[in-house]
Amino acid sequence: MADDVLMYGPAGWEGPPQRYGPAARVAVLSDLHANIPALDAVLAEPDVAAADLVVLCGDLTWGPQPQETYERIAALGERVLCVRGNGDRFASWLAATADATATARQSWITAQHSPEAIAFLNRVPFGVVVEIDGLGPVHFCHGSPRSDHELVTPGTPAERFAELSASLDVGVLVTGHSHLQFAREVGGLRSVNPGSVGLPYHTGQPGTAHWALLGPDVQLRTTHYDVADAVARAHRAGDPGAEQYAETLLSPPDPASVVVDAETRIFVN
């Protein structure tokens, strides 16, 4: 790892990650990217509705419908645990600084959040730990346990994985950020990514949201939704990035290429 990499770990107000559980079943959704049709379809899944907890692994509202996404999350009440993604961190920072160098889309997305939504993002912690039946303690974060913008992929070498997970006292690490769905064993730990609900990188049918169900094992799941509706809503909302957003939904990047790029760059905001 380069010595000059700026790490985005826990905020100054945070201590060690809070611990929750025990829980029999935990639904894990990541990288929502404010895709309401995809989010609604996954939340309607019987196994998600019946889960003891729903953990959201970051990049919650960075997309075309941020306020509506915040309202969906708030409606879940105490059943939901969130961790902070790099997009969530950036939205909070932009709202506080009104950065003059922000792009049109960055400014637009930030402006779509109500004060309550920004206050919510400001409170989202860097990571949480949940005791899950059959799996023991599971650590959830967005990028890695040391930075929300570090990419963990199916191709992450064992050496780097050992470095980024060295502080953990768990048997399972769940990350997001890469938009790739996978589960693998690395150096005695299980490395899991539920994939992205809102913008998955995959080779399957467009309009497929990815998520996971934990307990007593790890189940990687998919849910189909109306992708044409998601594209139409992005345009109707006035999202300056609607064209690129639609292209990613309709022609997702190839996972193999994503892994090669991610393992070359490692840290991506």
Side-chain angles (χ1 to χ4, degrees):
M1 184 182 69
D3 293 334
D4 59 350
V5 173
L6 179 60
M7 306 293 267
Y8 299 97
W13 53 267
E14 297 183 74
Q18 290 196 20
R19 292 181 173 253
Y20 300 86
R25 300 287 186 277
V26 176
V28 190
L29 287 59
S30 188
D31 296 276
L32 310 181
H33 285 284
N35 182 338
I36 285 294
L39 176 58
D40 283 347
V42 175
L43 291 178
E45 286 279 7
D47 282 337
V48 176
D52 300 304
L53 292 172
V54 177
V55 178
L56 305 181
C57 276
D59 278 8
L60 310 173
T61 69
W62 194 267
Q65 295 180 282
Q67 181 61 27
E68 294 90 335
T69 302
Y70 158 69
E71 291 167 2
R72 297 294 197 281
I73 295 170
L76 293 173
E78 295 183 355
R79 285 187 63 234
V80 68
L81 301 175
C82 300
V83 300
R84 181 173 64 249
N86 59 305
D88 309 315
R89 165 176 51 81
F90 193 42
S92 296
W93 182 81
L94 285 171
T97 61
D99 181 25
T101 65
T103 67
R105 187 170 195 246
Q106 290 167 354
S107 297
W108 181 86
I109 288 178
T110 305
Q112 305 312 301
H113 292 76
S114 67
E116 293 78 13
I118 292 297
F120 158 74
L121 292 180
N122 290 338
R123 297 191 303 269
V124 175
F126 178 73
V128 299
V129 175
V130 181
E131 183 82 24
I132 302 176
D133 292 355
L135 297 173
V138 178
H139 185 101
F140 297 87
C141 58
H142 181 66
S144 81
R146 59 186 180 182
S147 182
D148 65 28
H149 78 317
E150 182 170 9
L151 288 157
V152 178
T153 79
T156 296
E159 181 180 7
R160 179 162 73 88
F161 191 83
E163 291 175 358
L164 66 86
S165 63
S167 65
L168 303 184
D169 61 349
V170 302
V172 183
L173 170 62
V174 179
T175 59
H177 193 40
S178 72
H179 295 214
L180 299 171
Q181 187 182 66
F182 64 88
R184 64 192 288 242
E185 297 277 345
V186 194
L189 281 178
R190 298 180 79 172
S191 174
V192 177
N193 190 316
S196 172
V197 169
L199 284 172
Y201 300 160
H202 64 114
T203 57
Q205 178 183 351
T208 303
H210 291 189
W211 56 285
L213 186 67
L214 305 189
D217 205 344
V218 175
Q219 300 179 44
L220 302 179
R221 299 288 191 88
T222 59
T223 297
H224 294 290
Y225 71 95
D226 186 347
V227 69
D229 184 27
V231 169
R233 289 185 189 222
H235 285 288
R236 286 201 305 269
D239 183 349
E243 288 295 338
Q244 183 176 356
Y245 186 83
E247 181 179 352
T248 304
L249 287 176
L250 298 173
S251 300
D254 174 66
S257 300
V258 172
V259 169
V260 171
D261 181 64
E263 293 302 327
T264 300
R265 300 166 70 189
I266 300 177
F267 295 94
V268 176
N269 260 314

